Amino acid sequence: MGRVAGKMAFVTGAARGLGAAIARRLASEGARVTLADIDAAGADAVAAEINDAAGAAIAWPFALDVTDETQWAAALEAAGAAMGGISVLVNNAGILQTGSIETLALADWRRVMSVNVDSVFLGCKHALPYLRKSQPASIVNISSIAGLIAGHNTPAYNASKAAVWLLTKSVALHAAKSGDDIRCNSVHPAFIDTPMLQPLRDAFGKEAAEAKLARQVPLGRIGEPADVANAVLYLASDESRFMTGAEMRLDGGISAM
């Protein structure tokens, strides 16, 4: 217990799925957490759950459109004031849009890039001054195994998550060259049991959809949100003080094939 005691974490996309699991896990190990999401009601509910379990003044919810620079600046300022600083940034917010290179609309391409890439750029850019005041600090960017291996019908998602992968390395090198004790790493999950899989469940049925995905994974199953939350916990903690500019693959062996 207490692996991130004293840490102050800002987590995006925290109203559900991976973001909610990450916020819960960090709080369970002693961190104060800000849950930022465009779904303000969802963020409120998860924050209330965390505070009920861990005690008051552990979690704070904030509405945030991660594509809006003005909102980023305001949310970080408010979160820093509420928590007493920010020492961990988790850029988790993201969307999936399918469609081949010939069928995908330019508007959909731009939306995916805005939510998946612009958000990480804005988060890192505006959080660094706060992280610098609370060193040692850590940035964890949630990419995807789809940023390392491609699919025929996910060009926007592939390109956006690959951008997060290399943006992470650039931020890591910038912080190191600046002499800051601020690390930046990316996490690359494969299929995880989150609402992002719901379109497949709707199309094929829950059991059939999950079986279809599991057949692509050498371990023979899809992942759980806790798998990703545990990885983020390690990267947020001082246990990973010598790890920066790296990618952590949580893919059940897919990329080993």
Side-chain angles (χ1 to χ4, degrees), residues 141-242:
N141 295 327
I142 306 300
S143 180
S144 170
I145 201 62
L148 304 176
I149 58 177
H152 71 281
N153 66 337
T154 52
Y157 192 68
N158 289 142
S160 69
K161 291 303 188 178
V164 171
W165 174 44
L166 283 186
L167 176 57
T168 297
K169 294 179 182 296
S170 180
V171 173
L173 293 174
H174 166 75
K177 186 170 183 177
S178 299
D180 294 321
D181 191 357
I182 303 173
R183 296 168 294 103
C184 187
N185 296 287
S186 57
V187 178
H188 298 255
F191 314 118
I192 306 294
D193 185 10
T194 69
M196 192 173 281
L197 299 185
Q198 196 56 44
L200 279 174
R201 295 187 180 108
D202 292 341
F204 299 101
K206 184 178 187 301
E207 290 187 8
E210 293 179 5
K212 178 180 176 67
L213 295 174
R215 285 194 293 271
Q216 302 175 54
V217 181
L219 286 181
R221 63 181 186 275
I222 64 174
E224 297 294 332
D227 296 322
V228 180
N230 286 333
V232 173
L233 173 62
Y234 169 69
L235 293 174
S237 77
D238 291 343
E239 297 165 15
S240 55
R241 284 285 297 275
F242 200 56

